[in-house]
Amino acid sequence: WMETFGKETPYFCTEISDKVLCVGLSTVRFRDATYSSHEVFVDDNQIAWFEETLKKHPANDGWKILVYTHAPIMGSGLRVLQGVHVKNGCAWINHTDEKTRGK
């Protein structure tokens, strides 16, 4: 997926406001579950990068950090509600190409 979207890493951070950082984490392998579990696999390199990012932007210096993934991280205990994910209009829109988004 990273090659398809021209990404060098499965993670990124962007300062969206003064001392407000958005951190995006993503999967480094495609799930191998028989049934789609919509979980994100985060490897040790990504965890190390994330920990370093947190150290560089400490809360006691006033940093607010928003962390998100496209699905729950494996082992987090969070679950995806399959019915909502499949039926939600924006989930479908976000998974389509530019030509079909408005339909």
Side-chain angles (χ1 to χ4, degrees), residues 9 44 50 54 62 67:
T9 65
D44 291 339
F50 179 62
L54 294 178
V67 180

Side-chain angles (χ1 to χ4, degrees), residues 28-103:
V28 294
R29 72 175 189 212
F30 193 74
R31 60 189 162 268
D32 55 5
T34 303
Y35 302 100
S36 177
S37 58
H38 293 286
E39 290 183 319
V40 172
F41 179 81
V42 177
D43 64 358
D44 291 339
N45 289 338
Q46 195 167 176
I47 294 293
W49 171 85
F50 179 62
E51 289 173 343
E52 190 61 31
T53 299
L54 294 178
K55 288 177 189 173
K56 290 178 181 177
H57 303 88
N60 59 1
D61 282 349
W63 283 94
K64 307 270 191 280
I65 300 178
L66 307 169
V67 180
Y68 57 95
T69 63
H70 105 278
I73 294 175
M74 291 178 73
S76 68
L78 300 174
R79 296 179 43 108
V80 170
L81 302 174
Q82 283 297 99
V84 174
H85 181 77
V86 172
K87 294 174 188 172
N88 185 328
C90 70
W92 180 82
I93 289 171
N94 290 337
H95 290 92
T96 61
D97 60 66
E98 288 289 333
K99 294 177 185 174
T100 60
R101 283 189 184 168
K103 296 181 179 181

Side-chain angles (χ1 to χ4, degrees), residues 1-13 24 26-28 43 45-46 49:
W1 74 264
M2 292 187 326
E3 183 178 327
T4 299
F5 292 103
K7 301 292 183 184
E8 292 182 23
T9 65
Y11 49 84
F12 67 91
C13 66
S26 192
T27 197
V28 294
D43 64 358
N45 289 338
Q46 195 167 176
W49 171 85

Side-chain angles (χ1 to χ4, degrees), residues 13-31:
C13 66
T14 303
E15 188 172 351
I16 61 169
S17 186
D18 186 41
K19 295 210 173 199
V20 178
L21 194 69
C22 273
V23 174
L25 304 173
S26 192
T27 197
V28 294
R29 72 175 189 212
F30 193 74
R31 60 189 162 268

